[in-house]
Amino acid sequence: MTLPTSDTRVTYPAGALVSTGTVLHVEPVGDRLAVVLDETACHPVDAAWPDQPADQATIRFGDGDDVREVAVLDCVVGATDGTELYLGDAVPVKKGTEGWAFLVVHLVAGDAAAAAVEGATARVEVDAATRHALSAGHTGCHLASLALNTALADAWRKEVPLDTLGAPDFDALACESSRIAPHASTDRYRIGKSLRRKGFDPAALDDLEALGSRIRETLDGWLDSGATVRIDRDGDGLTDRRRWHCELPGGPAVLACGGTHAASLTEFSSIAVWLEREEVDGAVVLSMVSTVVPAG
């Protein structure tokens, strides 16, 4: 079995739901098969920052009268140095490391081995409803985090790095996890000694109702603008740099992001935000849940 020497070409950043590629590598992983294609529309989960789940999808192997369709049971980022295929959190190097190929690995049932052979044609079809819901949740997540930064702009006593809109970047400095769900997201922020030394005043979180109101007011203004959203790409490879770009009223918001997104804020009627704080090991942990309500 051969291993790829270049990154998988990915078409999901442009919104593709269907792709046709060639099987480059197949190997068993427990009772499943790891299938690598040269090109795919299927978004994988990345163990390095597993915010957006994998797409739900099927793969049709072969063509003409000889076709076998199988479900994609999972889809993960993998990597190889040419000697071995590593999956998920077993990947020992950072994306973009020289001499490594970074791959979208589709995991299918082991009994698909007869159809999933190297050189076979493979047509990937992604479930559109699930993709759309996750894309909405991811766009809502970015907007909510930027609105949170804006709402907490006066809570800093020292200069810190600014976000794309010019507010102190609380999200980047405090976020310990972010998870995308269909039409929703949950972000957890840790406010401990390190953040306080950077100048953040935890008293800004004493009145969560007022903080939530400021966040929602900002979000409402952004949604009223009907701003467009796009993904800018340096290339089609899995590790090529990609940026989320949203034309907000105060100027363009640009964030590094490897996920999928809505095409316009006109797709949303509102974004609801809930905040909760708790004491954990001497630190304050703020949880923010945002839920996107689709338009219409």
Side-chain angles (χ1 to χ4, degrees):
M1 294 186 293
T2 59
L3 285 160
T5 57
S6 59
D7 289 0
T8 305
R9 295 193 305 274
V10 293
T11 59
Y12 57 80
L17 294 168
V18 177
S19 62
T20 300
T22 300
V23 178
L24 298 181
H25 179 75
V26 180
E27 70 174 67
V29 178
D31 61 353
R32 298 180 175 184
L33 285 181
V35 179
V36 179
L37 312 177
D38 61 344
E39 179 173 307
T40 186
C42 193
H43 175 274
V45 64
D46 186 348
W49 187 250
D51 55 345
Q52 183 170 335
D55 280 331
Q56 295 181 10
T58 59
I59 305 179
R60 299 176 66 184
F61 295 103
D63 49 31
D65 296 329
D66 186 21
V67 173
R68 169 81 183 276
E69 181 172 294
V70 302
V72 176
L73 304 177
D74 200 359
C75 190
V76 302
V77 172
T80 181
D81 59 356
T83 63
E84 185 176 348
L85 177 65
Y86 299 88
L87 304 183
D89 57 12
V91 174
V93 294
K94 293 182 178 180
K95 287 193 295 294
T97 298
E98 187 175 354
W100 287 73
F102 288 80
L103 311 167
V104 176
V105 181
H106 312 79
L107 295 169
V108 302
D111 63 7
V117 295
E118 292 180 13
T121 299
R123 176 181 170 87
V124 175
E125 297 186 6
V126 174
D127 181 78
T130 302
R131 162 73 70 77
H132 184 78
L134 290 171
S135 296
H138 205 153
T139 298
C141 179
H142 284 341
L143 293 171
S145 66
L146 290 171
L148 175 63
N149 287 347
T150 298
L152 291 174
D154 294 333
W156 297 88
R157 296 187 295 268
K158 299 178 182 179
E159 291 187 4
V160 294
L162 305 180
D163 71 11
T164 182
L165 298 177
D169 203 342
F170 174 83
D171 177 74
L173 292 169
C175 188
E176 63 176 13
S177 68
S178 181
R179 295 292 183 270
I180 310 301
H183 293 107
S185 64
T186 301
D187 291 273
R188 285 174 59 85
Y189 301 94
R190 183 180 178 86
I191 300 90
K193 292 181 181 179
S194 176
L195 199 69
R196 291 195 292 269
R197 284 197 295 268
K198 288 182 172 69
F200 183 77
D201 182 2
L205 306 179
D206 288 347
D207 189 346
L208 293 187
E209 184 174 348
L211 179 60
S213 294
R214 294 196 297 274
I215 293 170
R216 287 186 284 272
E217 182 178 359
T218 298
L219 289 171
D220 287 346
W222 289 344
L223 294 187
D224 285 345
S225 74
T228 58
V229 178
R230 69 175 189 266
I231 301 296
D232 293 329
R233 301 171 284 165
D234 290 348
D236 294 329
L238 178 61
T239 60
D240 284 327
R241 184 173 173 82
R242 299 190 288 276
R243 295 165 297 278
W244 176 81
H245 187 121
C246 185
E247 291 290 339
L248 295 175
V254 182
L255 298 171
C257 183
T260 64
H261 287 279
S264 168
L265 302 192
T266 59
E267 297 179 23
F268 309 153
S269 66
S270 65
I271 300 176
V273 172
W274 291 269
L275 300 172
E276 182 177 275
R277 60 173 286 169
E278 58 183 320
E279 302 285 338
V280 179
D281 298 329
V284 174
V285 174
L286 176 70
S287 295
M288 179 172 67
V289 177
S290 60
T291 300
V292 172
V293 180

